Amino acid sequence: MITTKKLSLSTLLKNSFSYCNEKYKILLLFMVANYLICSGAAYLWKSFWLWILVVILYVLWGGMFRYYFERKPYFDFKSLFYSMVPSTKIVVLSVMIVSIFLLLPLAILFIPFLPDEFINGYALFLQKNLQDTYLIDAMINVIVVIFSPIILYRPMLAWVAALLGRSGSLRFAWNKTGGNYWEFLLLAVLIDLLYALIYNGILILGGNIYVALMPISVLVVYFNIVIAKIYEFFFLE
């Protein structure tokens, strides 16, 4: 029987900050590398080279977690290959959940006993609003945040396990972290708000995406350490 452990966000964030402060020199290298790769991805958006940079970023983050857990070599391609199993499942699961909820509004059109006037008016409403990309982006963001404890953060621990040569079972990760939905949700909201505030704030002040990626890269490394601390708490302590 798996005993439920309760995550303390305040302790988690404090310990993660202490680790970053202690290891700031090596983490600075990860931050710079993350910035350069993401800047290149922004510049090469919608080109073939974007996918090459995504692969490089995947290798970088894998190396970061192996560095944290002191697993040498830090860039182990065998472990990275095995980690693609849980990471692929995470992507598929996320796409499925988001797609289902985005298609739910269309289900009303197929209810047979609704009057034609309502169906026509509702179809017109959907046609008008579904063309609003900002609305769609906002809907996707809300759906992802609400379900992120289930489809992202808890499964991500299975990805970390695979990087370390352990079982990459999503089911085991879900079971091991059970009873912590609200803690993971608060973490997801915090991450989402910080990214949004920094990105949009810099754009409002006249900056561009390349300027915004500087503090965002700092947050990316910090929150990767947060994930590493979460894995440590549930799987190693």
Side-chain angles (χ1 to χ4, degrees), residues 8 64 70 75 122 171-172 213:
S8 170
M64 187 187 307
E70 299 180 349
F75 298 100
Y122 184 72
R171 183 185 297 275
F172 184 69
L213 282 173

Side-chain angles (χ1 to χ4, degrees), residues 16-216:
S16 299
F17 181 81
S18 297
Y19 178 87
C20 291
N21 188 50
E22 178 185 350
K23 303 287 187 177
Y24 74 92
K25 290 183 179 179
I26 187 67
L27 293 182
L28 182 61
L29 295 178
F30 283 112
M31 292 173 193
V32 171
N34 185 86
Y35 173 77
L36 293 175
I37 296 169
C38 290
S39 296
Y43 181 76
L44 298 170
W45 185 251
K46 294 183 179 181
S47 75
F48 168 79
W49 296 104
L50 171 67
W51 298 105
I52 303 297
L53 292 175
V54 169
V55 172
I56 296 173
L57 191 63
Y58 188 91
V59 173
L60 176 71
W61 288 355
M64 187 187 307
F65 281 100
R66 287 184 63 85
Y67 169 79
Y68 177 89
F69 291 104
E70 299 180 349
R71 299 296 177 90
K72 295 182 179 180
Y74 300 139
F75 298 100
D76 178 47
F77 290 97
K78 182 179 179 181
S79 298
L80 285 167
F81 178 77
Y82 287 137
S83 73
M84 291 178 65
V85 175
S87 63
T88 300
K89 291 179 180 178
I90 292 170
V91 172
V92 172
L93 183 62
S94 301
V95 171
M96 285 177 58
I97 293 294
V98 172
S99 298
I100 289 171
F101 277 86
L102 286 178
L103 291 174
L104 275 180
L106 298 176
I108 296 177
L109 297 173
F110 298 94
I111 299 177
F113 54 80
L114 291 176
D116 292 340
E117 296 80 8
F118 175 84
I119 292 294
N120 293 334
Y122 184 72
L124 185 62
F125 169 81
L126 287 179
Q127 184 180 7
K128 178 181 178 181
N129 287 278
L130 289 181
Q131 294 176 353
D132 188 346
T133 56
Y134 292 104
L135 177 62
I136 298 298
D137 290 345
M139 289 172 58
I140 292 175
N141 186 62
V142 170
I143 293 170
V144 169
V145 169
I146 291 175
F147 285 92
S148 60
I150 301 170
I151 65 176
L152 181 58
Y153 291 105
R154 288 164 66 188
M156 189 175 178
L157 301 178
W159 176 70
V160 175
L163 283 171
L164 303 181
R166 293 169 169 251
S167 171
S169 168
L170 268 63
R171 183 185 297 275
F172 184 69
W174 281 321
N175 291 338
K176 197 75 172 174
T177 56
N180 288 273
Y181 172 80
W182 294 108
E183 288 78 7
F184 278 103
L185 180 62
L186 285 174
L187 178 62
V189 170
L190 175 63
I191 293 173
D192 191 67
L193 284 178
L194 284 175
Y195 285 155
L197 286 172
I198 289 174
Y199 180 77
N200 291 294
I202 288 176
L203 293 186
I204 290 172
L205 292 174
N208 55 33
I209 188 172
Y210 302 105
V211 176
L213 282 173
M214 294 179 185
I216 286 176

